[in-house]
Structure formats: C-alpha cells, structure tokens
Amino acid sequence: QVQLVESGGGLVQAGGSLRLSCAASGRTFSINVMGWFRQPPGKEREFVAAISWSPGTTVYADSVKGRFTISRDYAKNTMSLQMNSLKPEDTAVYYCAATRSIWNQYRVRSSAYYDYWGQGTQVAVSS
C-alpha cells in the first residue's frame, strides 16, 4: 500500500505564492502517476494537475495552467505543486493522489482514476 501526506498549505494574499508538497511512503515503487485535486468550500472536488512518475509528463486544469507547476523528486519520493499568482478562487483543501495505473492524459483528470489519497492541506487566498 501507499501512504500520502500533504504539507505546505496556509494563508496567502491574492497574487502571492505557495508551494505544496506530498510525501509518499510504503510501496512507492508501484506508483506510476501522481496528481493534485482540490475541493473549494461547498463545492465538488476538482482536478488541478497530474504528473507521470516517469518521464514526468504533466497535465493541468485550464484554471491553473500558467500559474501552477507540478513536479516530482525521484530520490525523495515527493511531489510538489508550486502555486503562483494565487486567486481567491484557488481557496480549497488540496489533496495529493497516486495510482498504479498507466498514464492517460484524460483519465488522470478523474478522481476515480486514483487509488491513494492524502489527508488534504488547506489553502486560503484572501482578496
């Protein structure tokens, strides 16, 4: 099994930046894809970004493309989400996810594609 722990959430003003991290443990060798989802208050969970563990192919939601950057560190078994130019609508609980499934640029956008989830970390962007 795989365990995921997010960190780095917090409060930030609009236009600011924040970097989230996700640490994976357990059978990390089985992970093929990792991604980030978020759930704004009172709304459904939505896709943010995903990355294949190798070679590092990425996909972004249109709402964050150009502002957020997803990356992974093989040696540390971690994934990061660099969030720049933050907007109030970015306020949400952000979740790290992972799966053993092979990469598919469309399937990675669905929460059902992922097998493992972190506990979430809160990001609040003030106007």
mmCIF file of all heavy atoms in Angstrom, residues 14-64:
data_model
loop_
_atom_site.group_PDB
_atom_site.id
_atom_site.type_symbol
_atom_site.label_atom_id
_atom_site.label_comp_id
_atom_site.label_asym_id
_atom_site.label_seq_id
_atom_site.Cartn_x
_atom_site.Cartn_y
_atom_site.Cartn_z
ATOM 1 N N ALA A 14 -3.965 37.394 -2.279
ATOM 2 C CA ALA A 14 -4.097 37.268 -3.724
ATOM 3 C C ALA A 14 -2.857 37.803 -4.414
ATOM 4 O O ALA A 14 -2.328 38.856 -4.045
ATOM 5 C CB ALA A 14 -5.340 38.004 -4.202
ATOM 6 N N GLY A 15 -2.395 37.062 -5.416
ATOM 7 C CA GLY A 15 -1.181 37.427 -6.119
ATOM 8 C C GLY A 15 0.063 36.793 -5.548
ATOM 9 O O GLY A 15 1.127 36.831 -6.183
ATOM 10 N N GLY A 16 -0.057 36.202 -4.387
ATOM 11 C CA GLY A 16 1.072 35.577 -3.736
ATOM 12 C C GLY A 16 1.328 34.164 -4.224
ATOM 13 O O GLY A 16 0.657 33.672 -5.130
ATOM 14 N N SER A 17 2.290 33.506 -3.588
ATOM 15 C CA SER A 17 2.698 32.165 -3.978
ATOM 16 C C SER A 17 2.718 31.228 -2.788
ATOM 17 O O SER A 17 2.859 31.648 -1.641
ATOM 18 C CB SER A 17 4.090 32.189 -4.616
ATOM 19 O OG SER A 17 4.110 32.961 -5.803
ATOM 20 N N LEU A 18 2.587 29.950 -3.086
ATOM 21 C CA LEU A 18 2.619 28.917 -2.068
ATOM 22 C C LEU A 18 3.105 27.639 -2.735
ATOM 23 O O LEU A 18 2.804 27.396 -3.912
ATOM 24 C CB LEU A 18 1.226 28.716 -1.478
ATOM 25 C CG LEU A 18 1.081 28.171 -0.055
ATOM 26 C CD1 LEU A 18 1.773 29.090 0.945
ATOM 27 C CD2 LEU A 18 -0.395 28.036 0.286
ATOM 28 N N ARG A 19 3.845 26.830 -1.994
ATOM 29 C CA ARG A 19 4.344 25.570 -2.524
ATOM 30 C C ARG A 19 3.858 24.424 -1.649
ATOM 31 O O ARG A 19 4.148 24.379 -0.455
ATOM 32 C CB ARG A 19 5.868 25.566 -2.581
ATOM 33 C CG ARG A 19 6.456 24.330 -3.268
ATOM 34 C CD ARG A 19 7.976 24.429 -3.366
ATOM 35 N NE ARG A 19 8.575 23.272 -4.013
ATOM 36 C CZ ARG A 19 8.738 23.133 -5.321
ATOM 37 N NH1 ARG A 19 8.348 24.105 -6.142
ATOM 38 N NH2 ARG A 19 9.295 22.041 -5.813
ATOM 39 N N LEU A 20 3.124 23.503 -2.249
ATOM 40 C CA LEU A 20 2.631 22.322 -1.560
ATOM 41 C C LEU A 20 3.534 21.136 -1.848
ATOM 42 O O LEU A 20 4.103 21.022 -2.935
ATOM 43 C CB LEU A 20 1.209 21.983 -1.996
ATOM 44 C CG LEU A 20 0.150 23.076 -1.884
ATOM 45 C CD1 LEU A 20 -1.204 22.523 -2.318
ATOM 46 C CD2 LEU A 20 0.090 23.623 -0.471
ATOM 47 N N SER A 21 3.651 20.240 -0.880
ATOM 48 C CA SER A 21 4.435 19.027 -1.060
ATOM 49 C C SER A 21 3.607 17.820 -0.666
ATOM 50 O O SER A 21 2.722 17.906 0.182
ATOM 51 C CB SER A 21 5.715 19.078 -0.212
ATOM 52 O OG SER A 21 6.584 20.100 -0.664
ATOM 53 N N CYS A 22 3.913 16.689 -1.280
ATOM 54 C CA CYS A 22 3.261 15.429 -0.972
ATOM 55 C C CYS A 22 4.336 14.369 -0.825
ATOM 56 O O CYS A 22 5.075 14.098 -1.778
ATOM 57 C CB CYS A 22 2.277 15.046 -2.082
ATOM 58 S SG CYS A 22 1.530 13.409 -1.874
ATOM 59 N N ALA A 23 4.434 13.784 0.353
ATOM 60 C CA ALA A 23 5.414 12.745 0.621
ATOM 61 C C ALA A 23 4.751 11.373 0.527
ATOM 62 O O ALA A 23 3.723 11.140 1.164
ATOM 63 C CB ALA A 23 6.031 12.934 2.000
ATOM 64 N N ALA A 24 5.336 10.487 -0.258
ATOM 65 C CA ALA A 24 4.813 9.141 -0.443
ATOM 66 C C ALA A 24 5.665 8.133 0.320
ATOM 67 O O ALA A 24 6.892 8.238 0.355
ATOM 68 C CB ALA A 24 4.775 8.772 -1.922
ATOM 69 N N SER A 25 5.012 7.163 0.929
ATOM 70 C CA SER A 25 5.718 6.101 1.632
ATOM 71 C C SER A 25 5.007 4.775 1.380
ATOM 72 O O SER A 25 3.912 4.740 0.836
ATOM 73 C CB SER A 25 5.803 6.388 3.130
ATOM 74 O OG SER A 25 4.515 6.495 3.703
ATOM 75 N N GLY A 26 5.637 3.688 1.783
ATOM 76 C CA GLY A 26 5.089 2.375 1.523
ATOM 77 C C GLY A 26 5.642 1.827 0.216
ATOM 78 O O GLY A 26 6.824 1.987 -0.077
ATOM 79 N N ARG A 27 4.774 1.212 -0.576
ATOM 80 C CA ARG A 27 5.198 0.633 -1.848
ATOM 81 C C ARG A 27 5.236 1.690 -2.950
ATOM 82 O O ARG A 27 4.491 1.618 -3.934
ATOM 83 C CB ARG A 27 4.272 -0.514 -2.226
ATOM 84 C CG ARG A 27 4.339 -1.689 -1.260
ATOM 85 C CD ARG A 27 3.439 -2.823 -1.707
ATOM 86 N NE ARG A 27 3.544 -3.965 -0.808
ATOM 87 C CZ ARG A 27 4.445 -4.937 -0.924
ATOM 88 N NH1 ARG A 27 5.323 -4.915 -1.911
ATOM 89 N NH2 ARG A 27 4.473 -5.930 -0.053
ATOM 90 N N THR A 28 6.122 2.646 -2.778
ATOM 91 C CA THR A 28 6.195 3.772 -3.708
ATOM 92 C C THR A 28 6.671 3.364 -5.091
ATOM 93 O O THR A 28 6.413 4.080 -6.066
ATOM 94 C CB THR A 28 7.111 4.869 -3.158
ATOM 95 O OG1 THR A 28 8.407 4.327 -2.902
ATOM 96 C CG2 THR A 28 6.547 5.436 -1.862
ATOM 97 N N PHE A 29 7.356 2.225 -5.188
ATOM 98 C CA PHE A 29 7.844 1.757 -6.480
ATOM 99 C C PHE A 29 6.707 1.426 -7.433
ATOM 100 O O PHE A 29 6.911 1.341 -8.640
ATOM 101 C CB PHE A 29 8.750 0.533 -6.307
ATOM 102 C CG PHE A 29 8.087 -0.630 -5.623
ATOM 103 C CD1 PHE A 29 7.315 -1.525 -6.349
ATOM 104 C CD2 PHE A 29 8.217 -0.822 -4.262
ATOM 105 C CE1 PHE A 29 6.694 -2.596 -5.728
ATOM 106 C CE2 PHE A 29 7.602 -1.885 -3.624
ATOM 107 C CZ PHE A 29 6.838 -2.770 -4.357
ATOM 108 N N SER A 30 5.517 1.222 -6.888
ATOM 109 C CA SER A 30 4.368 0.862 -7.704
ATOM 110 C C SER A 30 3.653 2.066 -8.305
ATOM 111 O O SER A 30 2.779 1.899 -9.156
ATOM 112 C CB SER A 30 3.364 0.048 -6.882
ATOM 113 O OG SER A 30 2.766 0.839 -5.874
ATOM 114 N N ILE A 31 3.998 3.267 -7.880
ATOM 115 C CA ILE A 31 3.312 4.470 -8.345
ATOM 116 C C ILE A 31 3.735 4.825 -9.764
ATOM 117 O O ILE A 31 4.915 4.925 -10.058
ATOM 118 C CB ILE A 31 3.588 5.659 -7.408
ATOM 119 C CG1 ILE A 31 3.024 5.386 -6.016
ATOM 120 C CG2 ILE A 31 2.994 6.938 -7.989
ATOM 121 C CD1 ILE A 31 3.384 6.442 -4.996
ATOM 122 N N ASN A 32 2.757 5.025 -10.621
ATOM 123 C CA ASN A 32 3.015 5.477 -11.981
ATOM 124 C C ASN A 32 2.610 6.929 -12.199
ATOM 125 O O ASN A 32 3.221 7.628 -13.003
ATOM 126 C CB ASN A 32 2.286 4.603 -13.000
ATOM 127 C CG ASN A 32 2.949 3.268 -13.210
ATOM 128 O OD1 ASN A 32 4.174 3.156 -13.176
ATOM 129 N ND2 ASN A 32 2.141 2.237 -13.439
ATOM 130 N N VAL A 33 1.571 7.368 -11.498
ATOM 131 C CA VAL A 33 1.031 8.706 -11.693
ATOM 132 C C VAL A 33 0.668 9.316 -10.351
ATOM 133 O O VAL A 33 0.119 8.641 -9.475
ATOM 134 C CB VAL A 33 -0.217 8.684 -12.598
ATOM 135 C CG1 VAL A 33 -0.757 10.099 -12.800
ATOM 136 C CG2 VAL A 33 0.101 8.036 -13.935
ATOM 137 N N MET A 34 0.951 10.593 -10.191
ATOM 138 C CA MET A 34 0.510 11.334 -9.020
ATOM 139 C C MET A 34 -0.187 12.607 -9.481
ATOM 140 O O MET A 34 0.116 13.136 -10.553
ATOM 141 C CB MET A 34 1.674 11.675 -8.096
ATOM 142 C CG MET A 34 2.332 10.452 -7.485
ATOM 143 S SD MET A 34 3.597 10.847 -6.250
ATOM 144 C CE MET A 34 2.560 11.408 -4.883
ATOM 145 N N GLY A 35 -1.113 13.078 -8.666
ATOM 146 C CA GLY A 35 -1.859 14.259 -9.045
ATOM 147 C C GLY A 35 -2.322 15.071 -7.856
ATOM 148 O O GLY A 35 -2.226 14.638 -6.704
ATOM 149 N N TRP A 36 -2.803 16.256 -8.165
ATOM 150 C CA TRP A 36 -3.377 17.149 -7.170
ATOM 151 C C TRP A 36 -4.830 17.444 -7.519
ATOM 152 O O TRP A 36 -5.153 17.732 -8.686
ATOM 153 C CB TRP A 36 -2.619 18.479 -7.095
ATOM 154 C CG TRP A 36 -1.248 18.382 -6.500
ATOM 155 C CD1 TRP A 36 -0.069 18.286 -7.157
ATOM 156 C CD2 TRP A 36 -0.931 18.397 -5.105
ATOM 157 N NE1 TRP A 36 0.978 18.234 -6.270
ATOM 158 C CE2 TRP A 36 0.474 18.299 -5.001
ATOM 159 C CE3 TRP A 36 -1.694 18.486 -3.944
ATOM 160 C CZ2 TRP A 36 1.131 18.283 -3.773
ATOM 161 C CZ3 TRP A 36 -1.043 18.465 -2.722
ATOM 162 C CH2 TRP A 36 0.357 18.365 -2.648
ATOM 163 N N PHE A 37 -5.687 17.364 -6.525
ATOM 164 C CA PHE A 37 -7.080 17.767 -6.636
ATOM 165 C C PHE A 37 -7.361 18.788 -5.547
ATOM 166 O O PHE A 37 -6.623 18.889 -4.569
ATOM 167 C CB PHE A 37 -8.016 16.565 -6.483
ATOM 168 C CG PHE A 37 -8.033 15.657 -7.674
ATOM 169 C CD1 PHE A 37 -6.983 14.784 -7.920
ATOM 170 C CD2 PHE A 37 -9.103 15.677 -8.557
ATOM 171 C CE1 PHE A 37 -6.994 13.953 -9.022
ATOM 172 C CE2 PHE A 37 -9.131 14.839 -9.664
ATOM 173 C CZ PHE A 37 -8.071 13.983 -9.893
ATOM 174 N N ARG A 38 -8.430 19.539 -5.710
ATOM 175 C CA ARG A 38 -8.812 20.492 -4.679
ATOM 176 C C ARG A 38 -10.321 20.522 -4.529
ATOM 177 O O ARG A 38 -11.066 20.222 -5.462
ATOM 178 C CB ARG A 38 -8.278 21.889 -4.995
ATOM 179 C CG ARG A 38 -8.896 22.543 -6.231
ATOM 180 C CD ARG A 38 -8.184 23.842 -6.551
ATOM 181 N NE ARG A 38 -8.798 24.547 -7.662
ATOM 182 C CZ ARG A 38 -8.305 25.647 -8.208
ATOM 183 N NH1 ARG A 38 -7.184 26.176 -7.744
ATOM 184 N NH2 ARG A 38 -8.931 26.229 -9.227
ATOM 185 N N GLN A 39 -10.756 20.889 -3.334
ATOM 186 C CA GLN A 39 -12.175 20.976 -3.044
ATOM 187 C C GLN A 39 -12.464 22.314 -2.377
ATOM 188 O O GLN A 39 -12.192 22.486 -1.181
ATOM 189 C CB GLN A 39 -12.630 19.827 -2.154
ATOM 190 C CG GLN A 39 -14.128 19.776 -1.953
ATOM 191 C CD GLN A 39 -14.587 18.456 -1.358
ATOM 192 O OE1 GLN A 39 -13.786 17.697 -0.817
ATOM 193 N NE2 GLN A 39 -15.860 18.177 -1.476
ATOM 194 N N PRO A 40 -13.004 23.273 -3.140
ATOM 195 C CA PRO A 40 -13.390 24.558 -2.551
ATOM 196 C C PRO A 40 -14.535 24.363 -1.569
ATOM 197 O O PRO A 40 -15.274 23.378 -1.649
ATOM 198 C CB PRO A 40 -13.832 25.385 -3.761
ATOM 199 C CG PRO A 40 -13.211 24.709 -4.941
ATOM 200 C CD PRO A 40 -13.220 23.249 -4.591
ATOM 201 N N PRO A 41 -14.725 25.296 -0.643
ATOM 202 C CA PRO A 41 -15.817 25.176 0.330
ATOM 203 C C PRO A 41 -17.167 25.026 -0.359
ATOM 204 O O PRO A 41 -17.516 25.823 -1.232
ATOM 205 C CB PRO A 41 -15.737 26.485 1.112
ATOM 206 C CG PRO A 41 -14.316 26.922 0.975
ATOM 207 C CD PRO A 41 -13.919 26.501 -0.412
ATOM 208 N N GLY A 42 -17.914 24.003 0.015
ATOM 209 C CA GLY A 42 -19.244 23.789 -0.516
ATOM 210 C C GLY A 42 -19.306 23.306 -1.949
ATOM 211 O O GLY A 42 -20.399 23.242 -2.523
ATOM 212 N N LYS A 43 -18.168 22.957 -2.536
ATOM 213 C CA LYS A 43 -18.141 22.515 -3.925
ATOM 214 C C LYS A 43 -17.548 21.120 -4.059
ATOM 215 O O LYS A 43 -17.014 20.560 -3.103
ATOM 216 C CB LYS A 43 -17.349 23.508 -4.776
ATOM 217 C CG LYS A 43 -17.949 24.900 -4.833
ATOM 218 C CD LYS A 43 -17.159 25.802 -5.758
ATOM 219 C CE LYS A 43 -17.781 27.177 -5.846
ATOM 220 N NZ LYS A 43 -17.016 28.064 -6.763
ATOM 221 N N GLU A 44 -17.655 20.569 -5.264
ATOM 222 C CA GLU A 44 -17.128 19.242 -5.545
ATOM 223 C C GLU A 44 -15.619 19.280 -5.720
ATOM 224 O O GLU A 44 -15.034 20.315 -6.054
ATOM 225 C CB GLU A 44 -17.786 18.671 -6.801
ATOM 226 C CG GLU A 44 -19.291 18.490 -6.708
ATOM 227 C CD GLU A 44 -19.675 17.401 -5.743
ATOM 228 O OE1 GLU A 44 -18.915 16.406 -5.623
ATOM 229 O OE2 GLU A 44 -20.721 17.521 -5.100
ATOM 230 N N ARG A 45 -14.997 18.145 -5.504
ATOM 231 C CA ARG A 45 -13.568 18.018 -5.735
ATOM 232 C C ARG A 45 -13.273 18.192 -7.226
ATOM 233 O O ARG A 45 -13.996 17.672 -8.072
ATOM 234 C CB ARG A 45 -13.082 16.650 -5.261
ATOM 235 C CG ARG A 45 -11.574 16.484 -5.256
ATOM 236 C CD ARG A 45 -11.193 15.044 -4.958
ATOM 237 N NE ARG A 45 -11.783 14.577 -3.720
ATOM 238 C CZ ARG A 45 -11.711 13.319 -3.290
ATOM 239 N NH1 ARG A 45 -11.063 12.410 -4.015
ATOM 240 N NH2 ARG A 45 -12.278 12.979 -2.151
ATOM 241 N N GLU A 46 -12.206 18.913 -7.543
ATOM 242 C CA GLU A 46 -11.865 19.165 -8.926
ATOM 243 C C GLU A 46 -10.388 18.918 -9.191
ATOM 244 O O GLU A 46 -9.541 19.075 -8.313
ATOM 245 C CB GLU A 46 -12.228 20.600 -9.330
ATOM 246 C CG GLU A 46 -11.444 21.669 -8.592
ATOM 247 C CD GLU A 46 -11.893 23.067 -8.962
ATOM 248 O OE1 GLU A 46 -13.067 23.236 -9.348
ATOM 249 O OE2 GLU A 46 -11.069 24.004 -8.865
ATOM 250 N N PHE A 47 -10.102 18.548 -10.416
ATOM 251 C CA PHE A 47 -8.743 18.257 -10.843
ATOM 252 C C PHE A 47 -7.910 19.522 -10.920
ATOM 253 O O PHE A 47 -8.395 20.575 -11.343
ATOM 254 C CB PHE A 47 -8.781 17.579 -12.211
ATOM 255 C CG PHE A 47 -7.442 17.401 -12.854
ATOM 256 C CD1 PHE A 47 -6.566 16.423 -12.415
ATOM 257 C CD2 PHE A 47 -7.057 18.212 -13.908
ATOM 258 C CE1 PHE A 47 -5.327 16.251 -13.008
ATOM 259 C CE2 PHE A 47 -5.828 18.055 -14.512
ATOM 260 C CZ PHE A 47 -4.962 17.070 -14.057
ATOM 261 N N VAL A 48 -6.645 19.419 -10.528
ATOM 262 C CA VAL A 48 -5.716 20.539 -10.603
ATOM 263 C C VAL A 48 -4.579 20.243 -11.567
ATOM 264 O O VAL A 48 -4.352 20.972 -12.529
ATOM 265 C CB VAL A 48 -5.144 20.896 -9.218
ATOM 266 C CG1 VAL A 48 -4.115 22.018 -9.338
ATOM 267 C CG2 VAL A 48 -6.262 21.287 -8.266
ATOM 268 N N ALA A 49 -3.845 19.161 -11.306
ATOM 269 C CA ALA A 49 -2.695 18.819 -12.130
ATOM 270 C C ALA A 49 -2.292 17.375 -11.872
ATOM 271 O O ALA A 49 -2.601 16.807 -10.830
ATOM 272 C CB ALA A 49 -1.513 19.752 -11.837
ATOM 273 N N ALA A 50 -1.580 16.781 -12.829
ATOM 274 C CA ALA A 50 -1.092 15.416 -12.682
ATOM 275 C C ALA A 50 0.260 15.276 -13.360
ATOM 276 O O ALA A 50 0.587 16.036 -14.283
ATOM 277 C CB ALA A 50 -2.083 14.409 -13.274
ATOM 278 N N ILE A 51 1.032 14.290 -12.909
ATOM 279 C CA ILE A 51 2.349 14.041 -13.474
ATOM 280 C C ILE A 51 2.641 12.553 -13.480
ATOM 281 O O ILE A 51 2.352 11.849 -12.517
ATOM 282 C CB ILE A 51 3.436 14.819 -12.690
ATOM 283 C CG1 ILE A 51 4.798 14.694 -13.375
ATOM 284 C CG2 ILE A 51 3.503 14.357 -11.235
ATOM 285 C CD1 ILE A 51 5.838 15.660 -12.825
ATOM 286 N N SER A 52 3.199 12.050 -14.575
ATOM 287 C CA SER A 52 3.661 10.673 -14.613
ATOM 288 C C SER A 52 4.997 10.590 -13.893
ATOM 289 O O SER A 52 5.824 11.513 -13.998
ATOM 290 C CB SER A 52 3.792 10.185 -16.057
ATOM 291 O OG SER A 52 4.800 10.904 -16.756
ATOM 292 N N TRP A 53 5.215 9.511 -13.126
ATOM 293 C CA TRP A 53 6.459 9.408 -12.375
ATOM 294 C C TRP A 53 7.652 9.365 -13.295
ATOM 295 O O TRP A 53 8.713 9.888 -12.974
ATOM 296 C CB TRP A 53 6.417 8.192 -11.446
ATOM 297 C CG TRP A 53 7.210 8.416 -10.212
ATOM 298 C CD1 TRP A 53 8.289 7.696 -9.790
ATOM 299 C CD2 TRP A 53 6.994 9.440 -9.235
ATOM 300 N NE1 TRP A 53 8.754 8.209 -8.614
ATOM 301 C CE2 TRP A 53 7.983 9.276 -8.242
ATOM 302 C CE3 TRP A 53 6.062 10.469 -9.104
ATOM 303 C CZ2 TRP A 53 8.068 10.113 -7.142
ATOM 304 C CZ3 TRP A 53 6.140 11.316 -8.014
ATOM 305 C CH2 TRP A 53 7.138 11.123 -7.042
ATOM 306 N N SER A 54 7.494 8.726 -14.421
ATOM 307 C CA SER A 54 8.489 8.708 -15.476
ATOM 308 C C SER A 54 7.769 8.632 -16.809
ATOM 309 O O SER A 54 6.917 7.765 -16.989
ATOM 310 C CB SER A 54 9.435 7.521 -15.311
ATOM 311 O OG SER A 54 10.422 7.516 -16.325
ATOM 312 N N PRO A 55 8.065 9.574 -17.711
ATOM 313 C CA PRO A 55 9.170 10.539 -17.730
ATOM 314 C C PRO A 55 8.851 11.910 -17.142
ATOM 315 O O PRO A 55 9.659 12.831 -17.287
ATOM 316 C CB PRO A 55 9.462 10.664 -19.224
ATOM 317 C CG PRO A 55 8.119 10.556 -19.853
ATOM 318 C CD PRO A 55 7.390 9.521 -19.034
ATOM 319 N N GLY A 56 7.705 12.070 -16.492
ATOM 320 C CA GLY A 56 7.350 13.350 -15.920
ATOM 321 C C GLY A 56 6.408 14.167 -16.785
ATOM 322 O O GLY A 56 6.424 15.398 -16.723
ATOM 323 N N THR A 57 5.607 13.489 -17.585
ATOM 324 C CA THR A 57 4.595 14.157 -18.393
ATOM 325 C C THR A 57 3.571 14.833 -17.487
ATOM 326 O O THR A 57 3.180 14.266 -16.462
ATOM 327 C CB THR A 57 3.884 13.148 -19.301
ATOM 328 O OG1 THR A 57 4.868 12.406 -20.043
ATOM 329 C CG2 THR A 57 2.947 13.849 -20.267
ATOM 330 N N THR A 58 3.139 16.028 -17.851
ATOM 331 C CA THR A 58 2.220 16.782 -16.999
ATOM 332 C C THR A 58 0.948 17.179 -17.723
ATOM 333 O O THR A 58 0.935 17.354 -18.941
ATOM 334 C CB THR A 58 2.889 18.046 -16.450
ATOM 335 O OG1 THR A 58 3.308 18.878 -17.538
ATOM 336 C CG2 THR A 58 4.094 17.695 -15.598
ATOM 337 N N VAL A 59 -0.109 17.322 -16.940
ATOM 338 C CA VAL A 59 -1.396 17.818 -17.414
ATOM 339 C C VAL A 59 -1.928 18.781 -16.367
ATOM 340 O O VAL A 59 -1.825 18.521 -15.171
ATOM 341 C CB VAL A 59 -2.403 16.675 -17.644
ATOM 342 C CG1 VAL A 59 -3.812 17.229 -17.864
ATOM 343 C CG2 VAL A 59 -1.996 15.834 -18.845
ATOM 344 N N TYR A 60 -2.515 19.895 -16.818
ATOM 345 C CA TYR A 60 -3.047 20.904 -15.912
ATOM 346 C C TYR A 60 -4.495 21.231 -16.245
ATOM 347 O O TYR A 60 -4.902 21.207 -17.409
ATOM 348 C CB TYR A 60 -2.248 22.202 -16.007
ATOM 349 C CG TYR A 60 -0.816 22.091 -15.560
ATOM 350 C CD1 TYR A 60 0.189 21.778 -16.459
ATOM 351 C CD2 TYR A 60 -0.469 22.316 -14.231
ATOM 352 C CE1 TYR A 60 1.504 21.678 -16.053
ATOM 353 C CE2 TYR A 60 0.849 22.221 -13.820
ATOM 354 C CZ TYR A 60 1.834 21.903 -14.734
ATOM 355 O OH TYR A 60 3.145 21.816 -14.315
ATOM 356 N N ALA A 61 -5.245 21.562 -15.212
ATOM 357 C CA ALA A 61 -6.564 22.128 -15.431
ATOM 358 C C ALA A 61 -6.398 23.508 -16.059
ATOM 359 O O ALA A 61 -5.430 24.221 -15.768
ATOM 360 C CB ALA A 61 -7.324 22.242 -14.111
ATOM 361 N N ASP A 62 -7.337 23.882 -16.921
ATOM 362 C CA ASP A 62 -7.248 25.178 -17.585
ATOM 363 C C ASP A 62 -7.201 26.330 -16.587
ATOM 364 O O ASP A 62 -6.561 27.354 -16.839
ATOM 365 C CB ASP A 62 -8.438 25.373 -18.528
ATOM 366 C CG ASP A 62 -8.372 24.475 -19.746
ATOM 367 O OD1 ASP A 62 -7.284 23.951 -20.055
ATOM 368 O OD2 ASP A 62 -9.418 24.305 -20.396
ATOM 369 N N SER A 63 -7.848 26.164 -15.452
ATOM 370 C CA SER A 63 -7.930 27.226 -14.467
ATOM 371 C C SER A 63 -6.595 27.547 -13.796
ATOM 372 O O SER A 63 -6.441 28.621 -13.215
ATOM 373 C CB SER A 63 -8.964 26.868 -13.394
ATOM 374 O OG SER A 63 -8.621 25.663 -12.742
ATOM 375 N N VAL A 64 -5.635 26.616 -13.864
ATOM 376 C CA VAL A 64 -4.355 26.827 -13.194
ATOM 377 C C VAL A 64 -3.175 26.847 -14.147
ATOM 378 O O VAL A 64 -2.062 27.203 -13.732
ATOM 379 C CB VAL A 64 -4.106 25.765 -12.102
ATOM 380 C CG1 VAL A 64 -5.278 25.712 -11.131
ATOM 381 C CG2 VAL A 64 -3.852 24.397 -12.715
#
